[in-house]
Amino acid sequence: MYLAPMRKKQVTVIGNYDATPEQFELGVQVGELLASLDLITITGGRTGLMEAVAKGAFEAGGMTVGILPSEDMNDGNNFNTVTIPSGIGYARNSMNVLAADAVIAIGGAAGTLSEMAFAWSYRRPIISFVGGGGWADALAGKQLDHRHEEPVDAAHDLEELKAHLVRILEL
C-alpha cells in the first residue's frame, strides 16, 4: 500500500518591498522562527521584507520559496531556495496566499492589503504582527467583513506569533 509523505506546513509572509531597517530586522527574526518550526517560508521573492524573511529562514536552514510577479527568475532575492516566476504581476498575490496554510502580515501597503483580502476570502488564517505599521497594524484584531466570525490574529512579539502558529497549524 502506498502512503503519501506528510506535506510540510507552509507560511506566506507579506509586507513592504521597501522595508524600514526595523521591519527588515523583524523579518529576519520571523524567518528564523519559521525555520526553527520546520515550516516552509513563502514570500513574494523580491526585496525589503520579502528578502529579510527569506534571509532569516535560509540562514537558519529553512526552505524558502519566492513567487515573483515577473517572468524572470533573476528578479528574485538571493535567499530563495525555490524561485517561481509567475509572469502575472500583482495577480501573483493570490498565488502567494493560496500556497499558504497561514499568512503573516508585517507592515504593508496596497500589495499587502490585497494579499490580506485574498487570505480572508480564501479562508487562510492571518496573523498581523503589530508594531510594523501599515495594513498589518490597521487590521490586527479586526474582521475584514461579515463573512467570517474570527478576526485577524494580532501578534505583539515573536512568542505570541509562535503561539498563534502552533495553534493554527497544530504544531
Side-chain angles (χ1 to χ4, degrees):
M1 172 164 117
Y2 174 75
L3 297 176
M6 293 287 295
R7 179 179 67 81
K8 285 188 176 186
K9 302 286 180 152
Q10 302 171 182
V11 175
T12 296
V13 184
I14 58 178
N16 299 53
Y17 74 89
D18 56 349
T20 66
E22 296 79 18
Q23 288 170 333
F24 195 92
E25 179 55 34
L26 177 59
V28 169
Q29 293 171 5
V30 168
E32 290 169 349
L33 172 65
L34 296 176
S36 75
L37 295 171
D38 198 28
L39 299 168
I40 295 174
T41 300
I42 301 171
T43 71
R46 298 178 73 208
T47 62
L49 187 78
M50 298 171 275
E51 182 174 13
V53 172
K55 179 182 191 312
F58 181 85
E59 290 180 348
M63 175 176 271
T64 62
V65 177
I67 303 176
L68 304 175
S70 70
E71 65 280 349
D72 186 351
M73 276 205 227
N74 295 316
D75 287 346
N77 68 62
N78 291 328
F79 302 102
N80 296 325
T81 308
V82 176
T83 299
I84 301 171
S86 73
I88 58 175
Y90 284 114
R92 76 79 152 83
N93 291 356
S94 180
M95 291 174 60
N96 289 350
V97 167
L98 284 171
D101 294 298
V103 175
I104 299 169
I106 302 171
T112 302
L113 176 60
S114 76
E115 287 169 312
M116 291 180 83
F118 280 129
W120 186 265
S121 296
Y122 293 135
R123 293 186 128 337
R124 296 306 195 263
I126 306 167
I127 306 166
S128 283
F129 202 103
V130 178
W135 285 107
D137 280 12
L139 297 175
K142 297 184 177 156
Q143 291 176 272
L144 272 61
D145 65 22
H146 65 282
R147 290 180 283 180
H148 308 303
E149 291 181 21
E150 60 285 336
V152 172
D153 285 318
H156 297 86
D157 57 39
L158 291 170
E159 284 305 311
E160 194 171 3
L161 176 61
K162 180 178 179 179
H164 283 304
L165 290 169
V166 168
R167 175 183 51 80
I168 291 167
L169 301 175
E170 300 176 350
L171 300 176

